[in-house]
Amino acid sequence: MLIDLLPEYVELGGAEYPINTDFRVSILFELMMEDASVPEDQKAIKAVKLFYPELPPVGLLHEAVKALLWFYQAGKEQKVPKYKTNAEDDESDEAETDDYVERIYSFEHDDDYIYSAFLSQYRIDLQDIEYLHWWKFRAMFRALDEDCQFCKIMSYRSIKINNDMTKSQKAFYRRMKSVHALPVPQEERERIDAITQALLNGGDLMGLI
């Protein structure tokens, strides 16, 4: 990013195809990938339509998906995490594994904090700005000052509560985790509600697990 021009095209089948590079497109992509209402088998083609103004030939669709993922990840190969869907304290070894991470931000639910952080730190109004390359947005997003409210909230969500903390510290961070917890995805919420209702009614839970 320091020595090369930011990409506006990706190469597919030996030809260059323009790609939608504005930050809003990649945010929409991330929101779509998190949306349980969008069938998994439709997400790939929806992503291609979102990123490419000119749809590539059918034979290049697999390559097109790989290219858009490369662009979304700012040219850096990353492991796609499996997000935990709650803000409960977890002091078990599972919380420290690479397989599961706790979601600490959401473009949908943290939009006001992110907007305010960019306005305060960079003097960039994300409403008024006509265009901002996704890689630039991403770099600035990752470098937001730790003292801004949004970064404090992400810190609360990610902090691990352990026995090295005092009782008051544990109580404070549990409260902050609860206050700033991200909503559970709809399908998981419905499952939890069904289990809760079955418990209240004394029903059989085997069919819900």
Side-chain angles (χ1 to χ4, degrees), residues 59-108:
L60 294 178
L61 287 182
H62 181 72
E63 191 175 343
V65 171
K66 290 179 63 177
L68 72 84
L69 287 174
W70 170 86
F71 175 82
Y72 167 74
Q73 295 170 347
K76 298 176 174 63
E77 185 174 349
Q78 299 172 355
K79 181 179 179 181
V80 179
K82 298 177 182 178
Y83 289 113
K84 296 173 72 174
T85 58
N86 61 62
E88 295 176 0
D89 305 331
D90 191 345
E91 299 179 21
S92 67
D93 292 338
E94 182 183 3
E96 304 298 329
T97 66
D98 293 333
D99 290 334
Y100 289 89
V101 296
E102 196 168 3
R103 288 182 65 211
I104 62 171
Y105 79 90
S106 163
F107 284 128
E108 179 179 2

Side-chain angles (χ1 to χ4, degrees), residues 21 29 45 70-71 89 98 108 122 127 147 156 180-181 187:
T21 59
F29 168 71
I45 189 61
W70 170 86
F71 175 82
D89 305 331
D98 293 333
E108 179 179 2
Y122 301 121
Q127 272 286 305
D147 291 329
Y156 294 146
H180 298 294
E187 60 180 9

Side-chain angles (χ1 to χ4, degrees), residues 188-201 203 205 208-209:
E188 183 68 12
R189 186 185 303 117
E190 291 173 354
R191 178 175 177 274
I192 292 171
D193 288 345
I195 292 174
T196 302
Q197 193 61 44
L199 282 172
L200 293 174
N201 296 336
L205 299 181
L208 299 173
I209 299 175

Side-chain angles (χ1 to χ4, degrees), residues 96-137:
E96 304 298 329
T97 66
D98 293 333
D99 290 334
Y100 289 89
V101 296
E102 196 168 3
R103 288 182 65 211
I104 62 171
Y105 79 90
S106 163
F107 284 128
E108 179 179 2
H109 300 288
D110 294 325
D111 54 340
D112 49 352
Y113 291 115
I114 297 170
Y115 171 85
S116 299
F118 269 71
L119 187 62
S120 175
Q121 182 166 330
Y122 301 121
R123 299 294 185 267
I124 293 177
D125 190 317
L126 294 176
Q127 272 286 305
D128 292 344
I129 192 169
E130 292 186 7
Y131 170 82
L132 179 62
H133 194 287
W134 166 243
W135 289 22
K136 291 183 180 180
F137 173 90

